[in-house]
């Protein structure tokens, strides 16, 4: 065995074989676990007491480091793939996708350029092209998997503004004093964050009583702000309610106005894959850019957002970085994923989804998404039968928002903490127009109506 500690890290020896075996065994245990524990956070003081001191000159050795993770650190993290994790937007990766994520890491592929990662990039593009076709985008549509919806939205909007600037410049027109971005007040917080980063003005067009942004409201914003508007963001599945904006009437405005339509479908656009909800997305085929997060409702592990441009050249012009050492990449007319978003080095993070799709086929995806929609409808029916509960809105997709008569935020908080303490479920309070509510966000086909019903029983 080599004695030099640095050589030990990269050599193939009995010792490294043991490390790899232990790590793969631990992964196998976790991926194949029948009853995933829900788990819960620990205080910083408790973690400091139980887990401090792991970084040392000589190292703990793999057995102790792994035991620390399995027995102390991991149990202090809530399992997002637990079927009764129903807060925020959970994640329910397929076993194939989870396992293949290990292969992606092990294969040491640089996913930023065709030169370095052609095979991986080809496979990622197969997935992007399949998604684009499902959305009804034209043949040439394409893009890249980025870290998450926040970066996807920002990258798309930066490309939108770059195009608006080019158009202005090409006709010799002056730039507006301030570029305007239009969305509804139910749009995700990352849209406001993008506006902040880009230093553009955010105009909130009012949604209708159902929380749906419609063409009429967008038209008013377009008339008021004229061609300062460089983009309109429509939400295809709001995070709090799963409400899909009326894409068709918003897209129809393109006949009269020149703006970039970005569809933020981070959570909800996956719903286009099942007949039960496909109709809600009519109009998405006219988008200039869309995002959907496979780590939300497409059964892939963290982290992955599919960002797709109608015309990928718009993304490429906006995002290609140039530097002496990169010129060799940029001169060739090759598909370099890094050129389509705010990023350079990237993991081929679309591959776990690719592998799982290639393994199971697209029908399995349609069925699993359909199962979540059915679960949402069944539990909404159950909520309707209970006099102390009120459904706040009819679910469009797989988020069910409801309230308990007479409860204040403090009641929801106490109840939610109790559920987690009992390890029964992770369901957190939310709010709507200042009223406390709670919600079930269902992206796991293994969530059960019985267990969600048992959660409702705790609200009596
Ligand atoms: C989750 C979400 C985002 C942000 O995505 P991240 O992957 O968390 O960055 C953006 N838009 C919507 C509608 C979302 O639900």
């Amino acid at each position: 065995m080599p004695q030099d500690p640095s050589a030990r890290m990269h050599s193939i020896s009995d010792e490294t074989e043991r490390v790899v075996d232990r790590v793969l065994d631990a992964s196998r245990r976790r991926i194949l676990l029948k009853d995933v524990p829900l788990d819960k956070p620990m205080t910083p003081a408790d973690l400091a007491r139980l887990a401090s001191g792991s970084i040392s000159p000589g190292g703990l050795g793999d057995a102790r480091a792994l035991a620390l993770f399995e027995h102390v650190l991991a149990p202090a993290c809530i399992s997002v793939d637990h079927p009764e994790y129903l807060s925020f937007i959970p994640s329910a990766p397929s076993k194939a996708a989870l396992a293949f994520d290990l292969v992606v890491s092990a294969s040491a592929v640089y996913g930023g350029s065709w030169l370095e990662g052609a095979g991986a990039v080809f496979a990622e593009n197969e997935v992007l092209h399949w998604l684009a076709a499902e959305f009804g985008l034209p043949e040439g549509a394409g893009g890249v998997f980025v870290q998450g919806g926040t970066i996807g939205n920002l990258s798309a909007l930066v490309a939108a503004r770059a195009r608006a600037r080019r158009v202005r410049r090409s006709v010799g027109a002056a730039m507006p004093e301030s570029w305007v971005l239009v969305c509804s007040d139910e749009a995700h917080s990352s849209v406001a964050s993008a506006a902040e980063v880009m230093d553009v003005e955010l105009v909130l067009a009012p949604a209708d009583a159902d929380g749906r942004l419609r063409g009429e409201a967008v038209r008013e914003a377009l008339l008021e702000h004229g061609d300062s508007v460089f983009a309109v963001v429509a939400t295809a599945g709001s995070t709090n309610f799963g409400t899909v904006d009326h894409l068709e009437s918003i897209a129809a405005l393109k006949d009269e106005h020149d703006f970039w339509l970005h569809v933020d479908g981070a959570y909800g656009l996956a719903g286009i894959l099942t007949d039960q909800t496909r109709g809600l997305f009519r109009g998405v085929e006219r988008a200039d850019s869309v995002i959907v997060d496979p780590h939300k409702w497409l059964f892939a592990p963290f982290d992955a957002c599919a960002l797709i441009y109608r015309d990928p050249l718009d993304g490429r012009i906006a995002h290609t970085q140039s530097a002496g050492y990169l010129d060799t990449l940029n001169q060739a007319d090759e598909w370099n994923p890094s050129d389509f978003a705010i990023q350079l080095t990237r993991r081929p993070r679309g591959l776990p989804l690719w592998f799982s799709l290639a393994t199971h086929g697209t029908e399995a995806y349609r069925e699993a998404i359909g199962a979540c929609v059915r679960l949402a409808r069944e539990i909404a029916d159950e909520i309707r039968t209970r006099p102390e509960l009120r459904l706040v809105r009819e679910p469009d997709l797989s988020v069910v928002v409801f309230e308990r008569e007479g409860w204040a935020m403090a009641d929801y908080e106490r109840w939610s903490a109790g559920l987690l303490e009992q390890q029964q479920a992770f369901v957190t309070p939310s709010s709507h127009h200042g009223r406390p509510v709670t919600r079930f966000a269902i992206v796991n086909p293994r969530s059960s109506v019985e267990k969600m019903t048992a959660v409702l029983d705790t609200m009596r």
Side-chain angles (χ1 to χ4, degrees), residues 318-349:
H319 294 298
T320 302
Q321 295 186 24
S322 57
Y325 76 98
L326 294 174
D327 287 350
T328 171
L329 297 176
N330 296 339
Q331 278 150 13
D333 193 24
E334 286 170 344
W335 191 276
N336 298 320
S338 291
D339 292 348
F340 299 98
I342 297 159
Q343 57 179 355
L344 186 60
T345 297
R346 66 180 291 274
R347 164 186 185 78
R349 51 169 51 83

Side-chain angles (χ1 to χ4, degrees), residues 244-266:
V244 182
D245 284 347
H246 199 259
L247 304 177
E248 198 170 20
S249 60
I250 298 170
L253 297 169
K254 282 170 143 296
D255 294 337
E256 314 150 30
H257 300 267
D258 186 22
F259 63 92
W260 177 297
L261 175 60
H262 175 65
V263 174
D264 175 1

Side-chain angles (χ1 to χ4, degrees), residues 89 148-150 153 188 190 235 237 239 264 266-267 291 293 295-296:
I89 302 287
T150 300
N153 283 339
H188 189 262
S190 58
T235 305
T239 319
D264 175 1
Y267 148 65
I291 64 157
D293 280 1
H295 65 219
K296 283 184 169 165

